[in-house]
Amino acid sequence: MNQAATLRKLLSRPLVAVTSYLGVMILFLCVIGSSLSDVLGQQADVAASTDVLAQFQGRGSVAARGQATDIAAPSGSPLLEGATVTIAGAALLQRVSAAVTKLGGNVLSSQVELQGTQSNIGFVTIIASCEIDQPGLQRLLYDLEAGMPFLFVDQLVVQSAASSAGSGEGRLRILLAISGQWQGAR
């Protein structure tokens, strides 16, 4: 009972009561402010995640708001299309040949590997021997790996071409093994 009397005596003083009340109110305001801050932070995280998701889906949130963007997302299917694996291999070969000739190179030989270690998991691989100039090699590799469908350079062998009668200087002979995943028959 002695403690209850002491507590009643302390709370009966107006200064102690007002100070205690203000302290509790400040504590509640801090808790409310912290909670609001957490909610606003989570809302910003959700907005950022939504923007990333929109970019992955190809909509591009920056472009959707009407702002200019200098990054062009590749269009098309990420997988090789074709009713059969042979048609998918032909499409892959056509894609690689078009990329080489677009950069001023020549496809010397090519073959489609339909039976390899990766073919069991749905990948189609081609091996192409090409001739291209030195600056075009980097652009070729970027074009193949950054475009659609998703292609992977499994092997790259580069050697300088023997210059004959002054022609072919700066040209490289490259051997490429490129694979892409086939989506299968629909």
Side-chain angles (χ1 to χ4, degrees):
M1 284 221 339
N2 197 11
Q3 292 176 348
T6 308
L7 182 61
R8 226 178 297 127
K9 191 175 184 182
L10 281 176
L11 290 179
S12 66
R13 295 183 185 166
L15 183 60
V16 173
V18 169
T19 306
S20 298
Y21 178 76
L22 288 177
V24 169
M25 292 311 265
I26 290 173
L27 180 67
F28 283 146
L29 289 176
C30 288
V31 168
I32 290 171
S34 175
S35 297
L36 285 176
S37 173
D38 288 344
V39 167
L40 292 175
Q42 288 176 354
Q43 191 177 23
D45 289 344
V46 167
S49 297
T50 303
D51 284 347
V52 169
L53 178 63
Q55 287 176 351
F56 281 145
Q57 291 177 341
R59 293 188 307 235
S61 64
V62 173
R65 290 188 220 127
Q67 298 173 353
T69 177
D70 58 349
I71 299 173
S75 61
S77 173
L79 303 175
L80 292 172
E81 296 180 358
T84 65
V85 70
T86 307
I87 294 173
L92 175 59
L93 185 58
Q94 183 179 13
R95 166 83 170 87
V96 171
S97 297
V100 170
T101 55
K102 180 175 77 171
L103 295 171
N106 299 325
V107 177
L108 304 174
S109 67
S110 61
Q111 75 181 43
V112 179
E113 294 285 324
L114 297 178
Q115 295 181 1
T117 57
Q118 290 186 343
S119 63
N120 295 336
I121 53 175
F123 280 85
V124 178
T125 302
I126 67 159
I127 298 173
S129 175
C130 309
E131 195 174 57
I132 194 166
D133 60 347
Q134 191 168 5
L137 178 60
Q138 182 178 3
R139 290 184 300 201
L140 173 68
L141 294 174
Y142 177 78
D143 183 30
L144 291 174
E145 289 189 329
M148 289 288 184
F150 292 141
L151 301 179
F152 306 98
V153 177
D154 297 326
Q155 181 181 8
L156 173 66
V157 179
V158 180
Q159 65 182 16
S160 61
S163 60
S164 58
S167 66
E169 287 187 18
R171 306 237 349 138
L172 301 172
R173 284 210 175 155
I174 59 172
L175 179 67
L176 287 170
I178 298 174
S179 62
Q181 189 167 13
W182 175 49
Q183 67 183 6
R186 292 186 198 184

